[in-house]
Amino acid sequence: MPHELVLPAYILAVSLVAFAIMLCDLGRDRKGIDPLPWPLWAVASAAGGAFGTLAAFLVTRTHIAKATVARFFCGLAFSILWALILLLASGTVPFTADAFISSLARDHTPLVIYLLAANLAAFALFGIDKRQAVHADPRIPEAVLLGVGLAGGAPGALVGMHLFHHKTQRPYFRWGLWLFLGIDALLIVLFMAEGIL
């Protein structure tokens, strides 16, 4: 097999395994059976099977409920990460440190404003949700809290999570927000080097 096909073939094979794991897990959810252990699908997604994880959600048309939100966002985050790895490995996105360093001289005011807004929103949402939890009022869906973190608000979400002591016992928040922060930083660096930002 030509060396440029090894990584895509690996991703395809692991995605098929992750697809089967997630289909089984989502089927168990529908039947009211305990889900599979979370490291099983998390490792399958992280190892390159994230596309299969997301495909299982699309095929089953599963609602992203509280029980499945961690699995969905795990698949989404690792899909973004593996797509970037494939783009970099194939040379489609030719990243150079010089291009990134020269991009620092450009005006990034819109990016800074967006990131400030996303982080303030994430921080506020964690504070509001904690208040709602204490007063037993309607809550902000976990998908919204994770979504704003993935959309650039991970630092604000992490600060809010720890300051308000909210969602700190949920592994998919503790680890997921750090993963989102890394993915967002990688995207920003690549987009700046490509002249998109």
Side-chain angles (χ1 to χ4, degrees):
M1 174 181 297
H3 76 285
E4 59 271 355
L5 296 179
V6 171
L7 184 58
Y10 167 78
I11 298 291
L12 179 62
V14 178
S15 289
L16 289 171
V17 171
F19 179 77
I21 290 169
M22 191 53 59
L23 272 183
C24 176
D25 202 27
L26 292 172
R28 291 170 67 95
D29 273 352
R30 284 193 173 155
K31 294 176 185 171
I33 302 171
D34 286 340
L36 297 170
W38 71 267
L40 187 61
W41 51 260
V43 169
S45 285
F51 300 110
T53 300
L54 286 182
F57 274 92
L58 292 173
V59 168
T60 60
R61 296 186 180 146
T62 299
H63 175 69
I64 303 169
K66 188 169 185 164
T68 58
V69 71
R71 289 171 268 190
F72 177 79
F73 274 93
C74 182
L76 182 60
F78 282 115
S79 290
I80 294 168
L81 186 60
W82 278 100
L84 290 172
I85 290 169
L86 286 169
L87 288 171
L88 288 168
S90 70
T92 306
V93 177
F95 175 77
T96 64
D98 291 337
F100 171 70
I101 291 169
S102 67
S103 76
L104 295 174
R106 292 194 297 269
D107 179 28
H108 297 292
T109 304
L111 175 63
V112 171
I113 291 170
Y114 171 78
L115 290 174
L116 281 173
N119 282 280
L120 287 172
F123 180 81
L125 287 170
F126 270 79
I128 292 166
D129 194 48
K130 175 65 175 194
R131 183 182 173 283
Q132 300 292 81
V134 168
H135 297 301
D137 289 336
R139 305 285 301 281
I140 295 171
E142 288 186 344
V144 172
L145 296 173
L146 288 168
V148 74
L150 184 58
L158 283 163
V159 170
M161 181 175 75
H162 291 291
L163 184 67
F164 301 121
H165 304 286
H166 190 52
K167 303 291 187 189
T168 57
Q169 298 304 310
R170 305 241 184 238
Y172 51 94
F173 276 93
R174 281 198 326 261
W175 300 104
L177 290 173
W178 283 106
L179 173 65
F180 297 168
L181 178 63
I183 290 170
D184 290 344
L186 182 59
L187 281 170
I188 289 169
V189 167
L190 289 175
F191 286 169
M192 286 175 69
E194 284 295 304
I196 298 169
L197 292 176

